[in-house]
Amino acid sequence: MIIVMQGRVRSSRLPGKGFFTFFGQTLWERLCDIALEVRGAREVVFATGDHAENRLVQPLIESKGVRFFMGSEDNVLQRYCDVVKDSSAEYVVRLTCDNYLIQPELVEALAAAVKEKKADYGFIEPLSHYAGEVIRREVLLQEYQSGKYTAMGREHVTYDIRQSKTYRQVTLPNNFGGVDHQHSLTLDTLDDLVVMKKLERSHPGLIRLRCLEELRKVDLVKL
């Protein structure tokens, strides 16, 4: 499988959020480390838009040994397909760089479940920020090449696949792995940033990439 991470400098709700730090490491860097930690990945690619400011991220990404790719700024589905069209990998793992607590174990388990069922697509309900998504590469390319994808599919890559009854899907429950995927954490707003900084103080064990046991202890009500 190939892991494709998406991120860009320009964000309408929280611009430059990838440069914010979690335990002293930018989110860009942490996500590279998380992706590289996932077992079974042939390649890891950071896919960003083609606006010039996105090149600010390139040194951080390449210092991690991850391939830096610039594609369509607004058509994220096209960006993904441009990355994977020449890959020989059967599956694509989609990770977004504002999900700083993605767990390698959960990605591995999701990928294993999708492969075991010979499915086309898989995720942890209700689209967890702790695990990303796994998509069959041919299905991703088919969606783009059909030209029938919606605006949501264009922006969120897998939306139309998830809504379709054509594809074989694997959905894991929202308590999979013993964590609350219903309220999984991400970084989209200033309030999310406050929560992230509180986590640094209250749960130092989250500095580890494989921190599932510590994540199970997080009580969002108390943050």
Side-chain angles (χ1 to χ4, degrees):
M1 62 188 179
I2 179 173
I3 297 180
V4 182
M5 304 180 296
Q6 69 179 76
R8 58 193 182 118
V9 171
R10 187 177 297 185
S11 171
S12 57
R13 286 183 290 183
L14 196 59
K17 60 187 175 182
F19 289 110
F20 291 133
T21 60
F22 189 56
F23 292 104
Q25 187 180 39
T26 68
L27 266 60
W28 312 115
E29 294 170 301
R30 182 175 175 90
L31 262 294
C32 284
D33 287 345
I34 288 171
L36 291 168
E37 179 73 11
V38 174
R39 300 184 183 102
R42 294 183 183 179
E43 185 181 14
V44 176
V45 182
F46 176 85
T48 189
D50 53 12
H51 285 179
E53 69 266 23
N54 290 318
R55 286 208 177 273
L56 292 170
V57 188
Q58 187 170 2
L60 291 177
I61 301 303
E62 292 183 342
S63 71
K64 292 292 183 178
V66 170
R67 179 157 71 94
F68 180 83
F69 177 89
M70 296 179 75
S72 175
E73 181 78 16
D74 300 314
N75 190 331
V76 189
L77 175 59
Q78 178 183 347
R79 191 193 311 168
Y80 266 77
C81 288
D82 286 344
V83 170
V84 305
K85 62 184 179 182
D86 295 324
S87 173
S88 60
E90 184 176 6
Y91 287 101
V92 179
V93 176
R94 177 182 178 237
L95 304 181
T96 56
C97 285
D98 43 9
N99 296 342
Y100 58 96
L101 284 172
I102 288 171
Q103 299 297 299
E105 297 99 320
L106 296 179
V107 178
E108 292 161 0
L110 177 60
V114 170
K115 292 176 182 178
E116 180 184 0
K117 298 294 185 181
K118 295 181 172 56
D120 298 310
Y121 174 65
F123 65 99
I124 298 177
E125 296 180 329
L127 199 55
S128 172
H129 297 305
Y130 298 148
E133 304 163 84
V134 178
I135 316 104
R136 189 182 296 277
R137 187 180 68 90
E138 291 299 329
V139 166
L140 194 64
L141 293 172
Q142 178 179 317
E143 279 296 303
Y144 174 65
Q145 292 165 357
S146 74
K148 297 179 180 179
Y149 53 87
T150 64
M152 288 291 288
R154 170 190 175 101
E155 181 179 356
H156 298 289
V157 183
T158 59
Y159 178 83
D160 297 327
I161 296 171
R162 192 162 55 256
Q163 302 304 312
S164 174
K165 295 182 179 179
T166 302
Y167 302 118
R168 292 166 293 177
Q169 299 191 16
V170 167
T171 57
L172 301 180
N174 59 27
N175 63 349
F176 184 79
V179 295
D180 180 10
H181 297 279
Q182 188 73 35
H183 301 101
S184 53
L185 294 161
T186 188
L187 180 62
D188 278 329
T189 66
L190 285 174
D191 287 341
D192 294 337
L193 178 61
V194 171
V195 169
M196 187 175 77
K197 290 303 173 182
K198 286 182 177 179
L199 284 173
E200 288 182 336
R201 296 197 303 270
S202 61
H203 292 276
L206 294 178
I207 191 173
R208 298 188 298 273
L209 302 178
R210 293 181 180 266
C211 56
L212 196 55
E213 183 176 347
E214 187 70 22
L215 187 57
R216 293 184 183 118
K217 301 174 186 177
V218 173
D219 186 345
L220 294 178
V221 176
K222 294 182 179 179
L223 290 176

